[in-house]
Amino acid sequence: MSRGLLIQSVVPGSIASELEIEPGDRLAAVNGHPLRDVVDYNFHADGEELLLEIIKSSGEVWDVEVERDDDEPLGLVFAAPAPARCGNRCVFCFVHQLPKGLRRPLYVKDEDYRLSFLYGNYVTLSNIGEEDLQRIIEQRLSPLYISVHATDPALRVRLLGRKGIIPILDIMTRLAEARITMHAQVVLCPGWNDGDALQRTVADLAALYPQVASLAIVPVGLTRHRDRLPLLEPVSADYARDFIDEWLPEARRLADAFGEPFLFLADEFFIKADAPFPPLDFYGDFPQIENGVGMIPLFMDEADRVLRRARRMKPRTLTVVTGHSPYRYLADFLARLSARTGVTFQPVAIPNRLFGESVTVTGLVAGRDILAELAGRNLGDGVLIPDVMLKEGEGVFLDDLTIGELKQGLGVAVVVVPSSPEGIMEGVRMIRP
């Protein structure tokens, strides 16, 4: 195995470029510390005076001394570390519920605390060892994002489908004592980790505040591809209403006790229950927004600001696609935006044929499902596609359909926009009547 980190690219005009470090070279060590991954690099390269051991693509070894301002980047770009694979068999694992024929990377399950630190990926820490814990503490890998699901050890073993794991509360207590900040989530499976088990989980994690800085409860997502998997019940409208009645007061009580929000309920509970959302300040600084917590309230708040600025425009007709979950909030905004601008909007909620119609989030809509739903419709002057439906930077849907293929199939202009009110306004400006 080659030593060090492969340099993927070098920023033009940077320190590394001036030192004639090139893509294809490897950075083997910084100040005598061998590098295993980019996390080691970030830790050891944090200084003004550095000694870099560079292995050139020819095999020649350079020792390069660097003096720089404290905030001046070297200009080295590395590939993301290859993730450690997940050995869990979680009863609710979404990867186990995928149909055949999707992109191969979609079937890869990662379980890597480094990616949690670098990118905010949620991990169970079920594969963590003493050396990993020591590294997290020594290198201050904080914050971490932890899938707890239950603090009861026996129940967590059942949920993760993996025996012999260290109790999660033991790990999190040790990290809390080392002042590592953690954000936690519980994927709620009715009849499994709710009721008394959830009461215990919330109490255990609240006892670790402020090092456990937030806790999100999100409803389990179930597709129609659950052959030979444990029977799970979805969160129904009645369940969601009862859940909000029980847990929203507890979230407010904890916020009062801590002086800031701690416990968060995913937007999907309020959508399913057709219940009003809490005010925006309930979400604090939105620590769990990537977990589907606060997205709709933030959308509605931004919608009001966009509407106040909106002015009359040249008439045109635009089709806006979305998943079923946010449909009524999007449709309400588009109706008010139409009244302000004179632009006609046609919001369309796309049924999820790929995963099953119980999957209603926008980010899991497939390209061919859009084609099927919009076929034969008068789409007006163009179609707006929210960017969360596409793989970042590649313009490809979950089922490998490209934006170009979608445009060809629909026969009209197709524009990808940020999934926000301001993003929709950008799309309106891009499609001329």
Side-chain angles (χ1 to χ4, degrees), residues 314-387:
K314 290 183 179 180
R316 71 204 75 173
T317 298
L318 299 176
T319 298
V320 184
V321 301
T322 185
H324 274 277
S325 286
Y327 174 79
R328 64 179 176 271
Y329 310 100
L330 174 66
D332 175 73
F333 165 63
L334 293 178
R336 292 189 289 156
L337 186 61
S338 180
R340 296 280 294 177
T341 63
V343 175
T344 299
F345 295 97
Q346 302 176 152
V348 180
I350 306 296
N352 200 316
R353 298 170 177 86
L354 179 63
F355 296 118
E357 295 192 8
S358 64
V359 177
T360 59
V361 296
T362 302
L364 294 176
V365 170
R368 288 178 178 82
D369 285 349
I370 298 173
L371 275 175
E373 186 65 20
L374 299 187
R377 294 189 185 215
N378 181 355
L379 302 175
D381 298 292
V383 176
L384 303 185
I385 303 291
D387 56 3

Side-chain angles (χ1 to χ4, degrees), residues 200-242:
R200 172 177 173 175
T201 298
V202 173
D204 286 342
L205 296 179
L208 295 179
Y209 175 86
Q211 296 313 127
V212 174
S214 72
L215 168 60
I217 306 174
V218 300
V220 63
L222 305 175
T223 80
R224 61 184 177 89
H225 306 279
R226 286 191 57 83
D227 299 337
R228 297 185 296 278
L229 293 174
L231 179 64
L232 295 178
E233 293 294 328
V235 170
S236 66
D238 287 342
Y239 185 102
R241 281 189 286 270
D242 291 342

Side-chain angles (χ1 to χ4, degrees), residues 2 21 31 52 66 133 144 171 204 212 232 294 310 321 336 349 354:
S2 300
I21 299 172
N31 293 338
L52 311 180
V66 174
L133 281 169
L144 294 177
I171 296 172
D204 286 342
V212 174
L232 295 178
V321 301
R336 292 189 289 156
L354 179 63

Side-chain angles (χ1 to χ4, degrees), residues 267 271 277-280 283 286 289 292-309 320-323 325-337 345 347 362 384 386-388 417-425:
D267 292 0
I271 294 170
F277 283 90
L280 208 61
Y283 299 94
F286 294 87
I289 193 162
V293 176
M295 284 185 171
I296 296 297
L298 197 61
F299 181 96
M300 294 189 294
D301 180 71
E302 184 180 324
D304 289 339
R305 288 184 276 114
V306 167
L307 288 165
R308 286 195 293 269
R309 299 195 308 267
V320 184
V321 301
T322 185
S325 286
Y327 174 79
R328 64 179 176 271
Y329 310 100
L330 174 66
D332 175 73
F333 165 63
L334 293 178
R336 292 189 289 156
L337 186 61
F345 295 97
T362 302
L384 303 185
D387 56 3
V388 295
V417 299
S419 52
S420 64
E422 190 59 54
I424 290 169
M425 283 302 299

